Amino acid sequence: MQTTSLPETAASDALFERAKKVTPGGVNSPVRAFKAVGGTPRFIERAHGAYLIDVDGHAMIDYIGSWGPMILGHNHEAVREAISNALTNGTSYGAPSEGEVRLAELVTKLTGAEKVRFVNSGTEATMSALRLARGFTGRDFIVKFRGNYHGHADGLLVEAGSGLMTNADGLGRSAPSSAGVPHAYASLTLVADYNDPEGLRRLVAERGHEIAAIIFEPVVGNAGVLIPTPEFRAALHDAKRSGLLLIADEVMTGFRLSLKGACGVLGIEPDLMCWGKIIGGGLPVGAYGGRADVMDFVSPQGPVYQAGTLSGNPLAMAAGLAVLSELERDPGIYGRLDEYTSKLAEGLASAASEAGVPLAVNRVGSMLTGFFQAGPVTRYDEAARSDTAAFATWFREMLVRGVYWAPSQFESIFVSAAHGERELDSTLHAAVSAFATLGGAR
Ligand SMILES: *Cc1c(COP(=O)(O)O)cnc(C)c1O
């Protein structure tokens, strides 16, 4: 009989060792590696509702929701059925099918975009939207905001948000923010500060005539949650006067903050929008869309080339349709998500304050970040001042108590419709003792 007591993460640890031998860093996307918070990542065996179950048999309350898509909770019956039904008809045709038309009809109806094109990830959506903006305007430069993340296309890996904030040695590195991105590409990306309307107005006044597009997160999730001020929103709008296109990257916020996305809630009118995450219901889907006169520049209608072997995949379309239909059928979901997340925000703030730990909680709908600092946090440079070591300790204390928070200070967490009273109570119970270990209050 085995007498040595193995760590309770033995199965995850063993898989991670194997993974590191065959995959860089042992993971297929950097933030999964727990580099910023220490310890080894949990390997997941299955997921249901608000829970992830790891290979050692621990059930954890999940606040990552696959980084956004799982707004209905994991393994939702309607989504599972839709995928199973689609599966009986084959997995990919390389020719058009009805699901693509139906999802496009639904997305255009909900968001106000006139035409959409489906791709396979958020990265592909933003990359394609920018090419389209350049093709349409005949201009080369783009503007992005410090700390916003738009996927990993070359020209967008410039001061690019959480994965880089978390894994880089320091913050505020100058462009490009990844090895392998030619300076020539990065130099076409002009970087401005989010929530700095004066800075944006100056940039547009000087160079607006050479700028094809401004791409932005309508609510930032990738530097932690940052909320756009009315003055900043007005500056974005006014920038359109110089003939550039406004591209709202709704990959995270689309169908998360409302059926109309963040722009619909905030009254922003972009020329193009990008989607991902929820639009695929947990399968790989991205999309971009907007003004018909712009979208008609896309091949085969227009001169801007963009294609995809698996784009509009029938299983992925079925999953996306199932999620969006469910959200449309029961719009009360957004109110319930808001209520849960606001209680979570209040509970975290009071647990932190009781323990004497400075915490600034930013929240919009079911997106939330607790910055380990006194705050307020409205800008990237302010977010970057958070106490990441304290966050890392708190993260680990939450994890051993069965709460799976996002493993980075600079991420939003996501609540799902499957999170209820029981999960809220357990989470806040865990938070009270996790903060207490930090504050030394007890
Ligand atoms: C996740 C994300 C992306 C990239 O999407 P992928 O599917 O990971 O390529 C782009 N923009 C925003 C705002 C995101 O949150």
Side-chain angles (χ1 to χ4, degrees), residues 49-201:
Y51 293 86
L52 292 175
I53 296 97
D54 72 14
V55 288
D56 291 284
H58 305 292
M60 300 167 286
I61 303 174
D62 178 27
Y63 284 100
I64 302 187
S66 190
W67 299 96
M70 295 301 161
I71 191 166
L72 300 178
H74 291 282
N75 206 356
H76 188 275
E77 199 181 347
V79 182
R80 196 172 58 236
E81 264 176 26
I83 297 172
S84 313
N85 289 342
L87 191 55
T88 58
N89 294 323
T91 55
S92 181
Y93 314 133
S97 60
E98 188 184 348
E100 297 160 74
V101 185
R102 288 180 56 205
L103 188 56
E105 284 170 350
L106 186 54
V107 169
T108 51
K109 182 180 92 176
L110 294 175
T111 64
E114 291 171 327
K115 287 192 173 179
V116 299
R117 168 61 67 83
F118 291 113
V119 291
N120 303 290
S121 68
T123 293
E124 261 189 83
T126 57
M127 180 187 82
S128 309
L130 285 171
R131 183 181 303 135
L132 173 58
R134 284 170 163 146
F136 183 79
T137 59
R139 304 171 179 181
D140 285 346
F141 287 91
I142 59 159
V143 173
K144 81 174 282 293
F145 296 100
R146 196 162 276 121
N148 282 200
Y149 178 70
H150 304 291
H152 63 90
D154 280 334
L156 290 167
L157 283 183
V158 180
E159 312 233 3
S162 166
L164 292 153
M165 287 173 92
T166 307
N167 293 314
D169 307 329
L171 296 164
R173 296 202 294 179
S174 58
S177 48
S178 163
V181 174
H183 277 276
Y185 289 6
S187 68
L188 294 175
T189 303
L190 309 174
V191 179
D193 277 306
Y194 199 85
N195 275 341
D196 174 15
E198 289 319 311
L200 179 60
R201 285 185 195 281

Side-chain angles (χ1 to χ4, degrees), residues 11-12 21 26 30 71 75 102 107 136-137 140 152 163 208 228 259 273 367 383-385 388 413 418 433:
S12 276
K21 292 194 180 116
I71 191 166
N75 206 356
R102 288 180 56 205
V107 169
F136 183 79
T137 59
D140 285 346
H152 63 90
L259 278 174
M273 288 173 266
M367 292 170 61
R385 272 182 230 131
T388 52
I413 58 106
S433 46

Side-chain angles (χ1 to χ4, degrees), residues 121-123 149-151 217 222 249 251-252 277:
S121 68
T123 293
Y149 178 70
H150 304 291
E217 291 185 64
N222 288 294
D249 180 353
V251 170
M252 185 182 283
K277 298 184 173 135

